[in-house]
């Protein structure tokens, strides 16, 4: 289960990829996220998955990610199977950009709506979805 969470989290954060051993878990997560079965991830599907991820990260279940919860989540991801999150793309680095209203906290809506730059760049045809080809290209970047 932890590998699935790590693979999903890395994808949704736009961070580096998990090890090759986690490839099957990543495929399973992709199938779960691809709610309409079209073999691509629309940004709306990514946002729905980010909302579910938020619920896992919100340790005190108050609908807000505070700095302590962000630090805990970042630490847990870094510890899981020696997965490294690129510092420029990590949760902590993106927190300020997610905080759209500048109140120092990230709401569920702010977290869910945010599409990481790495995923935006991967959308090479600009259709607001990531095809299998575009997702595979992420692994090499």
């Amino acid at each position: 289960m932890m590998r699935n969470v790590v693979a999903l989290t890395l994808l949704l954060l736009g961070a580096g990829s998990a090890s090759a051993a986690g490839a099957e878990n990543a495929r399973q997560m992709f199938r779960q996220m691809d709610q309409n079965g079209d073999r691509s991830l629309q940004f709306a599907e990514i946002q729905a998955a980010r909302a579910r991820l938020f619920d896992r990260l919100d340790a005190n279940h108050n609908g807000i990610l505070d700095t302590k919860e962000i630090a805990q989540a970042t630490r847990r991801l870094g510890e899981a199977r020696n997965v490294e999150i690129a510092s420029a793309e990590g949760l902590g680095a993106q927190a300020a950009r997610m905080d759209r209203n500048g109140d120092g906290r990230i709401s569920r809506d702010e977290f869910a709506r945010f599409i990481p730059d790495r995923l935006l760049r991967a959308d090479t045809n600009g259709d607001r979805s990531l095809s299998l080809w575009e997702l595979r290209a992420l692994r090499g970047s």
Side-chain angles (χ1 to χ4, degrees), residues 54 57-60 62-76 90-99 102-107 110-111:
F54 178 93
L57 298 177
D58 183 16
N60 62 7
N62 68 349
I64 299 292
L65 289 183
D66 57 34
T67 55
K68 181 178 176 182
E69 288 168 319
I70 292 167
Q72 287 173 338
T74 302
R75 187 185 75 251
R76 282 194 314 258
L91 177 59
Q94 291 189 33
R97 292 182 38 233
M98 286 183 224
D99 182 13
D103 67 356
R105 305 176 316 163
I106 301 169
S107 70
E110 288 172 322
F111 187 89

Side-chain angles (χ1 to χ4, degrees), residues 13-57:
L13 295 177
S17 59
S19 68
E24 180 55 37
N25 290 321
R27 282 190 284 276
Q28 181 182 7
M29 291 276 85
F30 175 87
R31 288 189 293 271
Q32 289 174 358
M33 290 172 57
D34 182 18
Q35 295 175 348
N36 65 5
D38 69 350
R39 297 177 52 96
S40 68
L41 295 180
Q42 281 70 42
F43 284 2
E45 291 171 322
I46 293 170
Q47 290 169 328
R50 284 181 61 86
R52 291 187 300 273
L53 175 61
F54 178 93
D55 294 338
R56 290 181 177 197
L57 298 177

